[in-house]
Amino acid sequence: MGRGAYALARVAVVVRAPAGWLWWPGLLAAGIGALVPGLTGRTVGVAAGAALFVGAALVVFTVRRGRYAALARGASRAGKAVILQDRSVTLRIWRRAHRWWLLLAFLAAVASSGVLPAAGGLLMAGAALGLWGKAWWLGRWEREHEALLWLRTESARRGGAAGKEVRGYVLTGTAAGDGRPGGARAGNARSGGARAGTRAGGPRAGR
């Protein structure tokens, strides 16, 4: 990385990074839990799990949206000395940093079925749905403004996409990086990072 250069990760990719790792293990834990009678019985457990699913999705979707919106409004145009981190790299870094927490969450969800069958797994799945919803919300902002939101990778590692370590977002054009608005994988994804001066820029980046 050149002198004075720093790396940027997509905000929406950081937001949605945990989703798949909560959704599928959550559904698996719920399926395992549905086979266990539990102290409260399957009917009560699944009903409680459904309520937790909806509640978790709504809470995760709405929490800190004001902070995201404020950071997006104050975003500045990317300079020439930044490196855009590939979507796959952002996801891999997150997975490596949180793999043991994900395992503990899965085991706790399965163990909770001894009391409320399937409830813990549905809670995890609901949180995943909320994260996907928030990424979709960010993607709608990016499409409306014809720009992509990025943040410094070291800030994302320490506090997530809207933590206290995040001082501001950076804007690029929609052609930058290898992900669509909202952080989903692009159909013609390109490999390797790129400097903002060559691929991240564009006349609409500052909108």
Side-chain angles (χ1 to χ4, degrees):
M1 195 174 293
R3 182 178 177 182
Y6 55 91
L8 297 175
R10 281 286 304 283
V11 174
V13 173
V14 174
V15 168
R16 67 186 293 140
W21 298 95
L22 292 171
W23 178 260
W24 295 112
L27 293 183
L28 178 60
I32 295 172
L35 302 176
V36 180
L39 294 178
T40 59
R42 292 188 185 92
T43 302
V44 174
V46 171
L52 289 172
F53 178 89
V54 174
L58 290 174
V59 168
V60 172
F61 175 69
T62 57
V63 70
R64 308 202 77 178
R65 277 182 48 172
R67 167 81 167 153
Y68 283 94
L71 288 168
R73 286 193 302 269
S76 58
R77 178 77 177 273
K80 295 181 180 297
V82 298
I83 304 297
L84 305 183
Q85 188 177 81
D86 283 352
R87 179 182 184 276
S88 60
V89 175
T90 303
L91 295 175
R92 183 165 64 248
I93 290 172
W94 189 94
R95 184 174 66 247
R96 286 177 178 173
H98 298 86
R99 60 186 182 273
W100 295 115
W101 290 108
L102 292 168
L103 177 60
L104 288 174
F106 173 75
L107 294 175
V110 173
S112 69
S113 293
V115 179
L116 282 171
L122 289 173
L123 175 65
M124 289 178 63
L129 187 63
L131 289 171
W132 275 322
K134 184 172 287 182
W136 171 84
W137 172 71
L138 287 167
R140 188 176 67 174
W141 188 98
E142 291 177 327
R143 283 187 292 271
E144 289 176 353
H145 293 79
E146 297 184 43
L148 302 180
L149 293 166
W150 301 76
L151 77 160
R152 295 181 69 132
T153 54
E154 62 270 23
S155 300
R157 283 195 296 269
R158 288 196 290 264
K164 289 185 290 186
E165 296 289 336
V166 179
R167 302 303 180 192
Y169 291 161
V170 175
L171 291 173
T172 69
T174 55
D178 59 350
R180 297 199 301 267
R185 182 170 46 208
N188 59 343
R190 290 161 289 189
S191 61
R195 289 189 180 275
T198 58
R199 217 171 68 194
R204 298 184 182 275
R207 286 193 178 185

